[in-house]
Amino acid sequence: MEKNMTRVKQYHCGSSNERSISLIEVKEIHQNLLTQHEDISDEIADVVEQNDYVKLAHLLVTRSKIDTAINEIESAYQSEFNKQVETKHCISSVLKDVAEKMESKGEDMLLKVTSNLEKLNDSTHTMISIATALSNKTISKGNQLGHDAGRLLIHKTSEGLSKLATIIQKRS
């Protein structure tokens, strides 16, 4: 805890080694101080129940130091924190807008694909209906031609046999 407060104080006062602390490190320190503040507040509640006023005084002084460090960090880095929040908000907003646009374009594309599939299905149905009708006509015509050919064959055979019978009768 003392180490973290020392790092923050060095930064604000200009440390001897001129090392700057990144915003990520500052956030870690800030979060660590908030956690310590919460822990000390819980410990103060326990100490009050135990009536240990010496320890309570020590904890109050420590909490006061942590409060001071938290306030110093927040005042020194408030603009950076706000900028980062604004940046995150802008990024979030842009991503949300892009997602909405992609969703609407995806829905439009899905409608087009569905429409094209329905058209393809209708075309296929029409082509199959036409092919079935043509096949039916072709088979019917083939049957009719086969029937006519059979009738013609029987008729010619009958005529031939009749002539043959007549020739055979004449010779006998």
Side-chain angles (χ1 to χ4, degrees):
M1 174 178 77
E2 293 294 325
K3 179 181 169 185
N4 289 336
M5 289 192 323
T6 304
R7 289 173 75 187
V8 173
K9 286 180 184 177
Q10 283 177 347
Y11 180 74
H12 289 298
C13 298
S15 64
S16 59
N17 64 4
E18 296 297 323
R19 179 179 177 266
S20 64
I21 299 175
S22 70
L23 187 59
I24 294 172
E25 290 175 319
V26 172
K27 281 187 167 188
E28 288 176 8
I29 293 168
H30 184 258
Q31 185 59 45
N32 188 3
L33 289 171
L34 290 174
T35 303
Q36 289 178 10
H37 186 274
E38 185 179 314
D39 292 344
I40 288 179
S41 294
D42 291 342
E43 196 173 340
I44 287 173
D46 292 340
V47 168
V48 167
E49 289 178 12
Q50 297 169 1
N51 293 327
D52 188 350
Y53 296 106
V54 173
K55 191 171 184 178
L56 176 63
H58 172 68
L59 289 174
L60 289 173
V61 169
T62 304
R63 184 173 71 175
S64 175
K65 289 178 183 178
I66 291 174
D67 282 336
T68 303
I70 289 171
N71 291 336
E72 287 290 323
I73 289 174
E74 288 176 352
S75 65
Y77 288 95
Q78 191 64 40
S79 62
E80 285 85 356
F81 290 159
N82 288 343
K83 284 179 189 175
Q84 192 169 23
V85 169
E86 288 174 10
T87 303
K88 285 181 181 179
H89 179 71
C90 289
I91 291 171
S92 172
S93 177
V94 167
L95 288 175
K96 183 179 177 183
D97 291 343
V98 168
E100 289 173 356
K101 288 178 184 177
M102 287 179 69
E103 180 183 12
S104 67
K105 286 183 181 181
E107 288 175 358
D108 292 344
M109 186 177 280
L110 182 61
L111 289 174
K112 286 179 183 178
V113 168
T114 303
S115 174
N116 289 337
L117 285 174
E118 286 177 1
K119 289 177 184 176
L120 179 66
N121 188 24
D122 291 343
S123 299
T124 304
H125 180 70
T126 302
M127 288 177 15
I128 289 174
S129 296
I130 291 170
T132 304
L134 285 174
S135 296
N136 190 19
K137 286 180 182 178
T138 303
I139 291 171
S140 178
K141 192 67 169 174
N143 286 342
Q144 184 181 1
L145 288 174
H147 183 69
D148 289 347
R151 208 179 321 149
L152 180 65
L153 181 64
I154 291 173
H155 179 65
K156 292 292 182 182
T157 304
S158 170
E159 282 181 5
L161 286 175
S162 180
K163 286 181 184 178
L164 183 62
T166 307
I167 293 174
I168 292 177
Q169 249 184 359
K170 284 184 183 179
R171 286 192 186 170
S172 9

